Amino acid sequence: MAATKHRRTALERVEKFLSEIYFTDCNLRGRLFGDRCPPASLSCFQTPRRIPYEEAIGQEFTPARVGDSFGPTWQTCWFKVELSIPPAWAGREVHFVWESDGEGMVWRDAQPVQGLTKEGEKTNYILTNSLRETEPHSLTLYVELACNGLFGAGKGSMIAPPDPDRRFTLSKAELVIFNRDVYELLVDLEILLDMARLLGEENQRSFQALYAANQMVNVCNVMDPSTFPTARDLAAAIFNQRNGESQHTIHAVGHCHIDSAWLWPYEETIRKCARSWVTVIRLMECNPELTFACSQAQQFEWVQSWYPGLYAQIRDFVAKGQFIPVGGTWVEMDGNLPSGESMVRQFLQGQRFFQEQFGRICSEFWLPDTFGYSAQLPQLMRGCGIRRFLTQKLSWNLVNTFPHHTFFWEGIDGSRVLTHFPPGDSYGMHGRVEEMLKTVKNNKDKGRVNHSAFLFGFGDGGGGPTQKMLDRMKRMSDTDGLPRVQISTPDRLFSVLEKESSQLCIWVGELFLELHNGTYTTQAQIKKGNRECERILHDVEVLSTLAAARGGVFRYPASQLQRLWRLLLLNQFHDVLPGSCIQLVVEDALQYYSEIRSAGARLQEEAVQALCSELLQPKAGSTESTLVLNTLPWERTEVISRTGPAGTEALALVTVPSVGYAIVREPLLPPQPVAVRKEEDGSVVMENGIIAVCLDTMGHLTSLRLVDSGRESVLDGCYANQFALFDDVPLYWDAWDVMDYHLETRKPVTTLLKPLEITLAGGLRGSARFSLQVGKSSTLTQEIILDATCPYLRFLTQVEWKEAHKFLKVEFPVQVRSTNATYEIQFGHLQRPTHWNTSWDWARFEVWVHKWMDLSEHGFGVALLNDCKYGASAHGNVLSLSLLRAPKSPDATADITRHQFTYAVMPHLGSFQDAGVIQCAYNLNFPLHVVPASSAQCPAWSAFSVSSPAVVLETVKQAEDRPEAVVVRLYEAHGSTVVAWLQTSLPVKEAMLCDLLERPAAQGRLLLEQQGVRLSFTPFRVLSILLVLRQ
């Protein structure tokens, strides 16, 4: 008999029938497991190290019990579990259930077979689907338990520093009978209940689903499984009612975002990859339709090294098209801070790895969790064989909602890539009705495209997809009232989007994340290590290439360079370089930088010895001289410091040709020496014929004039080089965020410890030093340096930093009026507003920059250069460089140490392009190399030069696959269309254009002419040239 139904009681009736908490003695959920049986024996041993299986099983195991606790944090416990399945369970599905708050891995027959993580809803390892007499009833498993959770071991909150004393409890270890028919019915009811709840009272499908679920409860006797098929038929009747043709299609792809390091160290990530990926392989064996997108070549390489058996299985499923490598990069790197060349190497190392291992490169760039995306990325993607891009991070914007989910993204050079943000705004979906409905409702490009991505699986700390997620989506494949859901691949999705792309909108310029802009400054030592190591690898490659090209016995150190590059690329991961990681990770990262520094210094010395061996050999009657090497593509005249005859440091003015060297015996005399004088009021005046500066006793810049024109840079009554301290307490993400309201707490630094004193009285160099107290207990000492012939003033800064939740910046109020400031990015620059007219403008109150920023009006401007800083802002007429932060989570010790860095200020006439700001910023970051020599005079030598100042020769390296060829990479830096000649003294027999993966371009052959090689550039274009040398 039909009864009228009260919607709420009907809903709650079904909820209680499924509840894990209420009425489990008589509801369906309580019947999921049948009989239980403890292990025949359980024993363990504990180690502070992450050791291989072979070593672990040879240890002495002692008895253990369910309920025992293990630890502390980061320890590993190995359990030996001996199981005996009762014969009475014949014909039943038997699971081994393991619950603990650590991350587990089951080993069977010396192979990893299943990850076990309660937080990732994986607590069962299926021993048999139907126990047969012929199957072994007694077996031994090992469980490797990491004493950390899916998200590390934060004390009190997820992102708090790890609790070093946390203990991890084993709460369950048993054999159970798993009632598969109960499970299937539970999933049916869960989907119907969600449809009833979420489709809303105005939708008739909501009532159809509710009445079907209610009727299922009526017909289902939980004690009598023979009633289950009738109940399941009722569900199937709903699920089999099909959609109309216009319904949105969701492309579901399994995914498991694994941070290469974050709230756990690199070494734990290796195990997270194995735990997650072996579980995916088990799922694929049972679900041949399952696809799984997996990024980061580094993680594949780790698993290949540490788990070769698992890696072989992964390769099989890659070949079947189920396990799908994506992304094309070495790691999912930060999208803002790595240099242009570093970004190229992310793709070069990643794509080459995927090609070597799997026979193909990736066709989509995959960066779902990075804190903003450089406007140069589209060109770099295109140059690496990629035309498609997937992310979702801009859904985290604090201020403005990004207006698209599917669109074309155009970079600063005009390159475009098809870009898709999964409209569910997540890469960790669980296959629920609610997420499907959000995906459709939230899609900003309705009417333009009718397909979208849905990435399902536990992520960040690993975990990946579960069987239940797949089973939910099977029921939703084509059910009226819900979007169509199909297990798909990134390629299938993007191929459909490409067909539908005629109506898509275009977004031009950077994809700026309006959040996490503290990451441009946090962990300053990591930022400095990154910039320094980028420089070291650049210089080693240039000098090694020249040494190898000279012939002789020197061999280009390709394998050592690859190892060092991969360490640097690993540290560019999007929670390491940004500084949003725990102390253990910071220690690892600094250790890797230290390895790159020491190995790089050795390789550089070997290259210089080979390149200049004639000049470095002591010869009879030779006198002391100095070899000076320049790795930049323009001639430089600079003051260097060299060791004099008596072993003392002496200054010399030298001129060195582009990408080459010169021997210096008698230094040049400056056209105008630096004059330094102290005024009666204690202020210091310095002048070098180009700029004249006046400094007060506190180190403020009170005047900065261009000598020839007399143009003043500092605003009347203002101080430049003004340090300011801000309160820095974000809403939650401590290491990540600096909030707009920090600007309301500005306090100028005014406590003088040592007033300004002259330290070098002029000639080739003038300098003055002072010290300030910053905040409660920090000190800052600065040497302000002016060199002969140099157009900028340098500030060599040392800070003993001991603050908490403070932000230190230095400010330059300048006499320039412009609505936009210019910031260097990878292989180019872009403009951002200096006003806060709109919410899009003020959301960029703190931005990122590379080596320089500039504020110019017509005919005049001021640039700020730096050697290792990335955070900056320009508001009104104030240029500000962000120096240090002091967050307390997830690393309580972040930045509390001694820091040294240099920045510089450069006033100029005309545009920053014509004034050479770009070249000066390179010069500051790439010092000349000075080596004692013994040779007499020797002509200066230059390997490369470029005819146009608009074109920068960024990279000189040996080709990856051709030892007899050199790759040079150049880019147009001014934002202009220009023809440039590349000249070289190397014995080139053939030149051709190639892409960023060093594949020769069709019709890419270049003529070798008297003036060199002719190259055509449009604004910010990056060109790579393959030069084949005569042997």
Side-chain angles (χ1 to χ4, degrees):
M1 181 184 101
T4 53
K5 291 188 196 22
H6 184 260
R7 183 176 166 86
R8 184 182 150 192
T9 55
L11 279 169
E12 287 210 21
R13 179 193 189 197
V14 180
E15 279 173 14
K16 294 299 186 290
F17 194 61
L18 306 180
S19 174
E20 294 180 19
I21 301 164
Y22 303 104
F23 305 110
T24 52
D25 58 331
C26 60
N27 74 0
L28 186 63
R29 177 79 59 185
R31 302 287 301 155
L32 183 58
F33 296 109
D35 292 347
R36 299 165 187 268
C37 164
S41 135
L42 184 65
S43 55
C44 80
F45 95 95
Q46 193 168 316
T47 168
R49 296 187 301 120
R50 298 173 178 92
I51 60 175
Y53 171 84
E54 293 74 19
E55 185 181 338
I57 60 168
Q59 305 300 313
E60 195 170 321
F61 285 73
T62 56
R65 286 194 314 272
V66 170
D68 286 353
S69 289
F70 306 89
T73 308
W74 308 126
Q75 295 265 320
T76 298
C77 295
W78 283 83
F79 293 86
K80 184 176 186 179
V81 188
E82 296 183 40
L83 300 171
S84 183
I85 305 174
W89 291 9
R92 308 304 298 273
E93 181 170 339
V94 181
H95 291 194
F96 170 57
V97 173
W98 175 278
E99 285 187 21
S100 82
D101 38 11
E103 288 192 88
M105 169 77 98
V106 182
W107 291 79
R108 183 175 184 177
D109 302 329
Q111 288 300 319
V113 291
Q114 171 83 51
L116 291 173
T117 307
K118 194 174 174 183
E119 296 157 285
E121 294 181 6
K122 293 183 186 69
T123 54
N124 298 22
Y125 169 53
I126 302 174
L127 293 173
T128 174
N129 291 318
S130 176
L131 184 64
R132 293 186 300 276
E133 270 187 38
T134 52
E135 287 185 83
H137 284 47
S138 296
L139 67 155
T140 301
L141 303 177
Y142 287 88
V143 178
E144 176 189 12
L145 184 72
C147 290
N148 53 263
L150 210 52
F151 291 89
K155 189 171 187 175
S157 85
M158 180 180 77
I159 63 164
D163 178 354
D165 303 315
R166 186 149 148 205
R167 299 194 65 80
F168 295 79
T169 303
L170 174 58
S171 49
K172 239 182 224 177
E174 61 189 13
L175 289 171
V176 301
I177 291 174
F178 183 79
N179 292 320
R180 178 68 56 183
D181 51 358
V182 172
Y183 165 82
E184 298 290 359
L185 200 47
L186 283 168
V187 179
D188 285 346
L189 281 161
E190 180 199 296
I191 300 289
L192 291 172
L193 180 62
D194 281 350
M195 286 175 70
R197 270 202 322 232
L198 298 163
L199 290 176
E201 291 188 50
E202 69 286 353
N203 189 323
Q204 77 153 353
R205 285 291 278 169
S206 162
F207 286 92
Q208 289 174 350
L210 177 60
Y211 291 173
N214 184 71
Q215 186 60 17
M216 287 167 71
V217 179
N218 289 339
V219 302
C220 181
N221 176 356
V222 298
M223 307 307 285
D224 178 6
S226 70
T227 61
F228 295 175
T230 310
R232 291 213 63 201
D233 289 345
L234 290 166
I238 296 286
F239 298 145
N240 290 335
Q241 288 176 321
R242 302 289 175 227
N243 271 299
E245 285 182 21
S246 67
Q247 183 58 276
H248 188 85
T249 300
I250 285 176
H251 292 251
V253 181
H255 188 47
C256 175
H257 183 71
I258 303 178
D259 288 320
S260 290
W262 179 29
L263 304 173
W264 52 86
Y266 285 129
E267 213 177 53
E268 190 56 43
T269 308
I270 299 172
R271 299 201 295 189
K272 283 177 175 286
C273 293
R275 288 190 286 261
S276 303
W277 296 358
V278 75
T279 305
V280 169
I281 296 297
R282 290 293 82 77
L283 282 174
M284 285 179 175
E285 289 167 349
C286 306
N287 302 270
E289 76 284 2
L290 171 61
T291 58
F292 179 76
C294 192
S295 67
Q296 308 196 69
Q298 171 70 85
Q299 294 183 2
F300 282 90
E301 199 252 2
W302 279 335
V303 170
Q304 182 187 22
S305 302
W306 289 77
Y307 300 89
L310 169 58
Y311 189 73
Q313 294 173 57
I314 288 170
R315 287 187 65 160
D316 289 344
F317 280 100
V318 170
K320 287 177 186 165
Q322 286 180 259
F323 202 109
I324 304 165
V326 291
T329 50
W330 190 246
V331 295
E332 288 188 14
M333 72 280 194
D334 180 80
N336 301 322
L337 309 185
S339 69
E341 189 58 34
S342 286
M343 285 190 164
V344 170
R345 301 308 173 93
Q346 287 285 356
F347 287 107
L348 182 69
Q349 289 296 328
Q351 292 284 50
R352 285 178 63 81
F353 181 88
F354 291 130
Q355 180 67 53
E356 285 163 17
Q357 293 297 314
F358 308 118
R360 64 180 193 84
I361 62 171
C362 303
S363 59
E364 53 288 296
F365 184 34
W366 190 277
L367 206 54
D369 192 32
T370 289
F371 316 147
Y373 304 88
S374 163
Q376 190 57 281
L377 275 167
Q379 180 177 197
L380 302 186
M381 285 183 232
R382 296 285 298 244
C384 296
I386 290 174
R387 288 161 182 257
R388 303 157 163 185
F389 174 44
L390 182 141
T391 182
Q392 62 82 49
K393 197 65 178 186
L394 263 64
S395 66
W396 284 49
N397 270 7
L398 195 64
V399 182
N400 298 285
T401 302
F402 194 78
H404 302 294
H405 281 106
T406 308
F407 59 100
F408 283 105
W409 178 24
E410 182 174 301
I412 54 172
D413 73 309
S415 295
R416 284 183 191 169
V417 289
L418 177 59
T419 301
H420 181 68
F421 299 173
D425 294 342
S426 169
Y427 48 73
M429 295 298 206
H430 293 174
R432 296 182 181 281
V433 170
E434 182 180 8
E435 297 163 341
M436 304 301 172
L437 295 175
K438 179 182 177 183
T439 295
V440 177
K441 183 180 176 188
N442 205 29
N443 178 20
K444 300 276 190 304
D445 298 280
K446 295 181 185 79
R448 286 192 274 264
V449 289
N450 206 17
H451 293 256
S452 59
F454 182 94
L455 308 181
F456 64 94
F458 286 91
D460 292 332
T466 66
Q467 183 64 50
K468 192 173 218 178
M469 296 174 190
L470 284 164
D471 292 335
R472 286 175 186 138
M473 290 187 290
K474 282 172 190 167
R475 289 157 171 81
M476 292 188 259
S477 62
D478 191 2
T479 293
D480 186 22
L482 299 178
R484 276 195 191 84
V485 180
Q486 58 184 46
I487 301 292
S488 185
T489 67
D491 180 61
R492 222 174 294 153
L493 167 72
F494 275 107
S495 297
V496 177
L497 293 177
E498 281 163 358
K499 288 195 184 89
E500 293 188 351
S501 64
S502 62
Q503 301 295 308
L504 292 180
C505 300
I506 297 164
W507 181 271
V508 179
E510 67 184 328
L511 294 172
F512 185 86
L513 179 65
E514 298 171 356
L515 197 71
H516 292 359
N517 33 13
T519 59
Y520 317 146
T521 306
T522 304
Q523 299 286 10
Q525 287 179 295
I526 288 181
K527 309 290 193 275
K528 182 173 181 169
N530 180 68
R531 184 82 64 88
E532 274 188 9
C533 291
E534 286 176 336
R535 180 199 80 222
I536 288 165
L537 295 181
H538 168 276
D539 286 359
V540 169
E541 286 185 336
V542 169
L543 296 167
S544 300
T545 304
L546 301 188
R550 277 277 172 105
V553 295
F554 181 80
R555 287 283 164 271
Y556 187 86
S559 60
Q560 292 106 302
L561 276 166
Q562 181 183 64
R563 188 181 76 83
L564 299 179
W565 264 113
R566 285 180 171 184
L567 284 179
L568 179 61
L569 299 178
L570 173 57
N571 274 355
Q572 289 174 346
F573 179 74
H574 66 250
D575 279 307
V576 181
L577 180 52
S580 49
C581 51
I582 60 171
Q583 186 180 351
L584 279 176
V585 178
V586 176
E587 289 165 4
D588 283 346
L590 296 180
Q591 175 58 38
Y592 290 164
Y593 291 133
S594 165
E595 281 182 45
I596 296 168
R597 284 187 187 102
S598 56
R602 193 184 68 250
L603 292 175
Q604 184 176 299
E605 190 181 336
E606 288 168 8
V608 171
Q609 287 289 340
L611 180 62
C612 306
S613 51
E614 293 295 299
L615 311 175
L616 301 174
Q617 304 296 331
K619 295 187 185 63
S622 69
T623 52
E624 282 292 321
S625 57
T626 305
L627 171 68
V628 187
L629 300 107
N630 172 20
T631 58
L632 294 180
W634 42 78
E635 181 182 88
R636 295 163 69 176
T637 299
E638 288 178 28
V639 175
I640 59 162
S641 177
R642 61 175 180 166
T643 309
T648 54
E649 287 292 301
L651 299 176
L653 185 65
V654 301
T655 294
V656 193
S658 73
V659 195
Y661 57 76
I663 283 282
V664 180
R665 290 195 50 205
E666 299 307 318
L668 305 168
L669 288 172
Q672 184 159 347
V674 181
V676 183
R677 68 175 190 278
K678 193 165 191 173
E679 306 287 17
E680 282 181 11
D681 61 1
S683 62
V684 171
V685 175
M686 294 195 269
E687 194 176 319
N688 69 355
I690 302 169
I691 56 177
V693 305
C694 183
L695 301 158
D696 73 8
T697 55
M698 286 193 67
H700 293 129
L701 195 52
T702 55
S703 172
L704 174 62
R705 273 188 310 109
L706 284 170
V707 171
D708 279 354
S709 65
R711 175 71 153 83
E712 175 60 62
S713 306
V714 180
L715 208 58
D716 263 1
C718 288
Y719 297 131
N721 200 40
Q722 169 70 62
F723 295 97
L725 201 61
F726 299 79
D727 295 343
D728 188 13
V729 185
L731 299 175
Y732 175 70
W733 297 100
D734 197 358
W736 292 258
D737 289 349
V738 56
M739 309 308 298
D740 53 342
Y741 52 74
H742 87 281
L743 295 167
E744 300 169 40
T745 66
R746 178 183 179 275
K747 293 177 188 67
V749 174
T750 55
T751 310
L752 186 62
L753 295 178
K754 289 183 184 166
L756 190 73
E757 286 295 340
I758 294 171
T759 44
L760 282 175
L764 289 177
R765 177 172 291 167
S767 65
R769 182 181 297 151
F770 66 96
S771 294
L772 302 173
Q773 180 176 326
V774 179
K776 281 200 173 79
S777 44
S778 303
T779 54
L780 180 149
T781 301
Q782 193 169 64
E783 186 145 14
I784 302 178
I785 303 164
L786 184 62
D787 280 355
T789 73
C790 185
Y792 55 81
L793 182 67
R794 273 188 296 153
F795 301 85
L796 174 59
T797 315
Q798 291 182 335
V799 184
E800 198 68 56
W801 184 243
K802 299 174 182 172
E803 300 307 300
H805 294 297
K806 298 291 179 194
F807 196 165
L808 180 67
K809 304 185 188 185
V810 65
E811 299 168 345
F812 286 80
V814 294
Q815 275 201 41
V816 177
R817 178 162 178 76
S818 175
T819 53
N820 285 294
T822 308
Y823 300 81
E824 189 194 35
I825 67 165
Q826 296 83 356
F827 297 134
H829 57 261
L830 48 72
Q831 293 195 318
R832 300 183 180 113
T834 57
H835 56 75
W836 293 342
N837 278 1
T838 70
S839 58
W840 293 88
D841 299 330
W842 73 255
R844 289 185 278 179
F845 58 84
E846 174 80 2
V847 296
W848 59 273
V849 66
H850 281 206
K851 298 183 291 291
W852 59 269
M853 61 192 291
D854 180 86
L855 188 66
S856 287
E857 58 191 43
H858 180 69
F860 177 77
V862 179
L864 209 49
L865 324 176
N866 75 81
D867 74 348
C868 62
K869 296 298 170 192
Y870 295 93
S873 65
H875 188 224
N877 65 320
V878 180
L879 293 174
S880 173
L881 193 64
S882 299
L883 303 177
L884 294 167
R885 290 188 72 218
K888 296 298 162 199
S889 290
D891 175 7
T893 67
D895 286 313
I896 306 304
T897 185
R898 187 192 179 101
H899 300 271
Q900 181 170 314
F901 49 85
T902 296
Y903 55 88
V905 63
M906 177 177 169
H908 59 84
L909 291 180
S911 68
F912 69 84
Q913 291 99 326
D914 295 340
V917 165
I918 297 167
Q919 285 80 359
C920 285
Y922 270 96
N923 294 349
L924 181 71
N925 277 270
F926 291 81
L928 294 167
H929 296 288
V930 178
V931 184
S934 54
S935 157
Q937 285 308 102
C938 146
W941 180 74
S942 165
F944 290 98
S945 60
V946 184
S947 65
S948 166
V951 175
V952 175
L953 170 59
E954 175 76 20
T955 304
V956 178
K957 67 183 283 289
Q958 188 182 80
E960 294 290 318
D961 297 319
R962 301 181 66 173
E964 82 288 3
V966 170
V967 169
V968 295
R969 191 154 13 261
L970 310 95
Y971 73 96
E972 196 290 318
H974 285 182
S976 62
T977 298
V978 66
V979 169
W981 292 89
L982 172 69
Q983 291 105 0
T984 180
S985 57
L986 302 188
V988 175
K989 70 174 181 187
E990 198 181 347
M992 64 195 89
L993 291 170
C994 62
D995 68 5
L996 297 177
L997 301 180
E998 304 184 8
R999 302 176 298 187
Q1003 286 90 49
R1005 177 131 326 173
L1006 298 165
L1007 288 175
L1008 300 173
E1009 301 182 52
Q1010 194 58 48
Q1011 298 130 283
V1013 177
R1014 184 179 187 274
L1015 301 171
S1016 297
F1017 291 88
T1018 48
F1020 306 121
R1021 188 176 183 199
V1022 179
L1023 283 183
S1024 302
I1025 321 293
L1026 202 60
L1027 302 173
V1028 184
L1029 304 185
R1030 284 195 300 278
Q1031 293 301 295

